[in-house]
Amino acid sequence: MTAGTAEVAVFAGVRGPARTFTYSVPEGLALEPGHLVRVGFGPRSVAGVVVRLDAPYRGTLRAIDALVHPLPLLRGHQLALAAWIATEYRCGIADAVRAMLPPALAGRARAGLPTARGDRREPVFALTPAGRDALSGSVRLGARQLATLRALAAGAVSSADLAEAGGASVAARALARRGLALEGARSVRRIPREFALGEDDAVRDATATAGQADALETIIASLGTSAPFLLHGVTASGKTEVYLRAATRALAMGYGVIVLVPEIALTAQVVARFVARFGERVALLHSALSAGERYDEWRRVLDGTADVVIGSRSALFAPLERPGLVIVDEEQEPSFKQESAPRYHAVDTALALGRIAGAVVILGSATPRVTTYHATTIGALRLLRLPERVSDLAMPPTTIVDLRLELKAGNRGTLSRALRLALERTVAKGEQAILYLNRRGFATVVLCRDCGYVVNCPACDIPFAYHADGTLLCHRCGRHGVPPERCPKCGSVRIRHLGVGTQRVEEEVRAVVPKAALLRLDRDAVRAKGSHAALFERMRSRRAQVIVGTQMVAKGFDLPGVSLVGVVNADTVLSLPDFSSAERTFQLLTQVLGRSGRGPAGGRGIVQTYLPDHYAVRAAAAHDYAAFAVAELEGRRRFGYPPFAKLVLLQTQAKRPETVERRADSYATALRADAAGDAEVLGPAPAFAAKRAGSFRMQLVLRGARPQALLDRIPPSAEWTVDVDPVTLLG
Ligand code: ADP
Ligand code: ZN
Ligand code: ZN
């Protein structure tokens, strides 16, 4: 006898796409969507999640074997969100459901949830009845043991308690050997050191600035609805403080809070402030956790012990009972896009969660994506602005240095004369400097060092990429080119691909300021010398005076001593052949310039570039977001990029180039034959990483109002990956 059917997302393996299968429900099993169940799958018994009941019946069905846990592990709003993700990003609902469960559960087919595994354990002690009698002086004890005994009698439990009371765990163990105490262990949950920096209590009680007060009033009045906001605030305008206060209010109203940060290790300060303010109510969910730790944090949310969830993308999927406020800090960060199935964008998914669960969503940024900004102009998002820095700090006046002129003046180094001078002065005054170097896009562009001319694809107006074999290639349309020997614009022969590394800059800085304590922060340095947090601490304590680094110095380095930020090469990202290159450049420059002048010494910025007239460089130096957005949106409209068109990136790969070419051509032909007004088919072209792990890769781009509709009519074979709303076409 059975009682209907159930569609189950089956976790048959850790890798590969997850799928749903239909099972019959045994009589007497009170099944609900969200239940974790055990099902037979081939010869095996595996775990799965019920995604819906009464699924259409197909052939003979196997029955669900058992419930793994009596309560549904995915809540109703989570299942609805999984369905939204599956439709929007064209993945299986099982992929979305799997992303919502901690990895430790997906392989779980035995009954019951695992007990906490990631917890560290610490020794604990208690008195025995004999120990209590000793207290009367009937047993002779050394001073340390006596103090320990007294501490235990007064309620001390852990080594830390004992130490505070003048006892010690060594002495407690000695007491245990004499039968006067018992030793056990308890699990402790430790906030990693970098998140336990604490915070200045004064900030908690400080009067809100006028901008903060306005923003908070609007946000708080909206709690309980699904109002979405863009909080556009310049660096150091007090956005984090708005999040903290809005969260306090949401919690007081009984709502749970989700805070997404782009990369948790690089935003330790923001996380630390949440931990300082909400303590044990905070659950941290991020990729650096072990599977066990991740499970524990997830479990604390499920149990209701934690109702403030902070983490990268996947924190969005925490099983809060009543999410009422979802915050996405630094909404512009590309890391919010997941690059494997389900390929969701955490910002759009946060907005969807807000609509589904009735939660307020705040997207925060000093440099929102123009698509997000555009949404405020058409009423899809409400704009809240914090146009000024807290405590009247000025934005750092910024100079643009034209590197073409440096070369003309005979300076072949990577530091301009202006930057050298500023560095010397900053160090002489005992202040600190950040030198920022962009490594992304390193050496992919062909540029004239005399006039700044960049060799573009004539059809797409985006830079050709320079390849190691000496050819040029457009990664959008596939057109080939030959690098010119002379600049087509000014005739110079100094036209070549460009790039410098952090080490080279470090050496030059050493020569300019030999006495300054110097740090280097790039991926290699982090690996070799310890964490981002440790280097930050050396700057904070002023043991270091100058730091040279890549993207990482732009994040979280809020240091009052920094009065100079120098950008060594503003152009490298700008020159990447991508629709979002100008936007990324503006964002990175704004972010790194925002590190300057956060203290009483004030600050300044210097931006070195071969393209001093580019709107992204000029607007960043002028701290003028609106000017940037207007110019960028105009370009996006003209060339048909988001928000004026939606993109889908389709990629495929094969060991033999003929195979992948044939496949790409035939699919492109099929799509073109059916493409009506709803989508345009671009390509096929080789992918930016045209060869990866021994496979040749090609791509197609669909562009239109709703290009997914074309995919519904002509679905791609399993050999294609589908990326809806890609953040880059250079994957
Ligand atoms: P953002 O997130 O916009 O960069 P923060 O919230 O980190 O800005 O605020 C910048 C600095 O100003 C922080 O050191 C913060 O503690 C402080 N701050 C924020 N709001 C106030 C306020 N109302 N009064 C005084 N200091 C504040
Ligand atoms: Zn030129
Ligand atoms: Zn092209």
Side-chain angles (χ1 to χ4, degrees):
M1 279 287 283
T2 63
T5 61
E7 190 177 348
V8 179
V10 172
F11 307 125
V14 183
R15 278 169 235 283
R19 284 186 57 194
T20 60
F21 296 90
T22 306
Y23 288 82
S24 64
V25 182
E27 194 72 62
L29 190 65
L31 205 60
E32 285 175 50
H35 264 133
L36 187 64
V37 293
R38 180 153 47 92
V39 293
F41 189 73
R44 292 187 296 151
S45 181
V46 300
V49 168
V50 177
V51 295
R52 69 175 168 141
L53 296 175
D54 299 321
Y57 177 85
R58 309 187 207 99
T60 324
L61 294 178
R62 290 172 82 162
I64 287 174
D65 292 335
L67 285 183
V68 175
H69 191 73
L71 295 176
L73 297 186
L74 287 185
R75 302 182 190 275
H77 69 262
Q78 292 181 284
L79 287 167
L81 189 62
W84 180 87
I85 289 171
T87 310
E88 184 66 21
Y89 297 103
R90 295 193 51 93
C91 64
I93 194 164
D95 287 313
V97 164
R98 183 162 61 179
M100 292 183 175
L101 285 179
L105 269 192
R108 185 84 190 175
R110 276 168 293 147
L113 291 181
T115 47
R117 301 195 304 173
D119 280 355
R120 276 157 276 226
R121 300 181 72 75
E122 67 170 12
V124 288
F125 302 93
L127 284 186
T128 59
R132 273 186 203 291
D133 298 345
L135 274 170
S136 59
S138 58
V139 182
R140 284 194 51 204
L141 295 168
R144 207 34 166 313
Q145 289 189 14
L146 193 61
T148 302
L149 196 71
R150 293 216 170 102
L152 290 173
V157 172
S158 66
S159 308
D161 299 342
L162 291 175
E164 207 168 295
S169 49
V170 182
R173 280 201 189 98
L175 292 173
R177 280 194 295 275
R178 299 173 66 170
L180 303 176
L182 286 174
E183 179 175 356
R186 73 172 175 194
S187 58
V188 278
R189 175 179 169 270
R190 285 197 204 124
I191 302 278
R193 201 167 52 92
E194 61 265 40
F195 304 131
L197 300 172
E199 75 166 341
D200 187 356
D201 285 340
V203 184
R204 184 189 313 228
D205 306 321
T207 316
T209 64
Q212 285 175 326
D214 284 352
L216 273 168
E217 193 184 324
T218 313
I219 292 166
I220 288 168
S222 305
L223 286 170
T225 76
S226 57
F229 297 97
L230 167 62
L231 180 62
H232 182 198
V234 298
T235 49
S237 59
K239 293 184 293 296
T240 309
E241 194 53 37
V242 170
Y243 305 152
L244 287 161
R245 292 182 189 200
T248 305
R249 238 351 226 281
L251 291 173
M253 290 169 71
Y255 292 115
V257 178
I258 294 175
V259 185
L260 299 189
V261 292
E263 213 177 324
I264 206 151
L266 301 184
T267 44
Q269 280 180 305
V270 172
V271 178
R273 284 169 70 184
F274 273 88
V275 170
R277 216 158 287 190
F278 303 115
E280 285 298 310
R281 297 180 83 162
V282 175
L284 294 173
L285 280 174
H286 61 96
S287 53
L289 295 178
S290 71
E293 288 167 329
R294 220 183 156 97
Y295 172 75
D296 292 351
E297 293 297 275
W298 175 87
R299 185 71 201 261
R300 292 174 65 244
V301 180
L302 186 74
D303 295 345
T305 320
D307 50 9
V308 181
V309 185
I310 305 188
S312 34
R313 293 186 299 263
S314 62
L316 208 47
F317 303 142
L320 281 171
E321 196 184 342
R322 232 158 63 98
L325 177 63
V326 181
I327 296 161
V328 186
D329 191 28
E330 309 280 9
E331 75 86 30
Q332 79 284 357
E333 282 297 317
S335 67
F336 283 126
K337 184 71 198 270
Q338 165 131 322
E339 298 296 359
S340 59
R343 289 182 159 74
Y344 63 96
H345 199 300
V347 171
D348 297 303
T349 309
L351 292 168
L353 176 60
R355 291 191 296 270
I356 289 167
V360 164
V361 180
I362 307 175
L363 311 180
S365 179
T367 53
R369 291 170 298 161
V370 288
T371 47
T372 305
Y373 180 74
H374 184 258
T376 68
T377 65
I378 58 170
L381 287 176
R382 285 171 71 182
L383 179 62
L384 303 169
R385 292 181 65 234
L386 298 179
E388 263 137 41
R389 284 182 157 186
V390 175
S391 35
D392 298 325
L393 291 171
M395 296 303 286
T398 299
T399 318
I400 297 175
V401 172
D402 185 343
L403 287 175
R404 299 168 304 183
L405 302 180
E406 288 298 310
L407 202 67
K408 285 212 175 82
N411 177 8
R412 306 206 150 265
T414 53
L415 304 182
S416 62
R417 292 158 298 173
L419 185 50
R420 283 161 190 265
L421 194 63
L423 200 53
E424 278 171 24
R425 291 200 175 143
T426 303
V427 168
K429 280 192 282 184
E431 292 160 12
Q432 293 175 302
I434 291 177
L435 290 193
Y436 168 70
L437 182 77
N438 221 318
R439 274 255 292 259
R440 234 188 128 235
F442 181 76
T444 60
V445 66
V446 177
L447 172 139
C448 172
R449 293 193 73 183
D450 283 310
C451 76
Y453 176 86
V454 172
V455 184
N456 280 354
C457 167
C460 305
D461 197 39
I462 55 175
F464 269 130
Y466 179 83
H467 278 252
D469 64 2
T471 63
L472 299 177
L473 178 65
C474 173
H475 285 280
R476 222 193 69 190
C477 72
R479 192 178 296 246
H480 283 275
V482 183
E485 299 201 336
R486 285 181 174 280
C487 171
K489 201 170 140 205
C490 76
S492 164
V493 293
R494 282 191 292 218
I495 181 158
R496 58 185 182 101
H497 61 101
L498 82 169
V500 285
T502 30
Q503 274 166 347
R504 162 108 183 261
V505 176
E506 187 184 0
E507 282 160 26
E508 284 192 40
V509 172
R510 254 183 227 295
V512 177
V513 284
K515 296 219 178 70
L518 179 61
L519 296 179
R520 176 161 60 88
L521 178 58
D522 54 21
R523 296 264 168 209
D524 302 339
V526 162
R527 228 170 281 130
K529 293 183 202 152
S531 69
H532 180 267
L535 294 180
F536 170 76
E537 189 48 35
R538 285 175 65 184
M539 284 292 280
R540 202 187 62 83
S541 63
R542 302 254 190 161
R543 274 178 291 154
Q545 223 178 344
V546 182
I547 188 160
V548 176
T550 51
Q551 267 83 314
M552 282 178 273
V553 297
K555 302 228 168 81
F557 271 66
D558 297 341
L559 298 163
V562 173
S563 63
L564 173 68
V565 165
V567 177
V568 176
N569 54 349
D571 310 326
T572 54
V573 172
L574 203 52
S575 316
L576 279 173
D578 206 355
F579 69 94
S580 54
S581 298
E583 178 168 65
R584 283 305 287 157
T585 301
F586 176 79
Q587 289 165 352
L588 289 166
L589 292 180
T590 303
Q591 198 169 42
V592 69
L593 289 170
R595 306 298 116 197
S596 181
R598 288 180 174 236
R604 62 176 299 201
I606 292 182
V607 176
Q608 305 191 144
T609 176
Y610 287 102
L611 301 168
D613 297 320
H614 195 288
Y615 64 91
V617 175
R618 296 190 81 90
H623 309 292
D624 190 344
Y625 179 83
F628 167 74
V630 167
E632 177 69 10
L633 283 168
E634 172 53 30
R636 298 274 186 106
R637 188 191 299 275
R638 191 141 35 95
F639 288 99
Y641 285 120
F644 304 104
K646 203 172 166 73
L647 302 178
V648 177
L649 175 64
L650 294 154
Q651 291 185 317
T652 187
Q653 60 179 40
K655 289 272 176 252
R656 290 155 55 92
E658 311 85 79
T659 314
V660 71
E661 272 168 37
R662 207 177 314 121
R663 185 190 302 149
D665 281 339
S666 80
Y667 188 41
T669 308
L671 286 170
R672 282 206 171 88
D674 210 279
D678 50 8
E680 182 188 353
V681 183
L682 306 171
F688 189 67
K691 204 174 167 199
R692 190 184 283 167
S695 287
F696 292 87
R697 306 170 71 236
M698 297 206 63
Q699 68 186 37
L700 286 168
V701 176
L702 306 186
R703 166 164 77 180
R706 193 165 168 81
Q708 292 106 312
L710 178 56
L711 291 182
D712 289 338
R713 295 200 299 274
I714 320 271
S717 64
E719 292 140 332
W720 290 87
T721 60
V722 180
D723 188 356
V724 178
D725 297 338
V727 289
T728 172
L729 297 180
L730 303 184

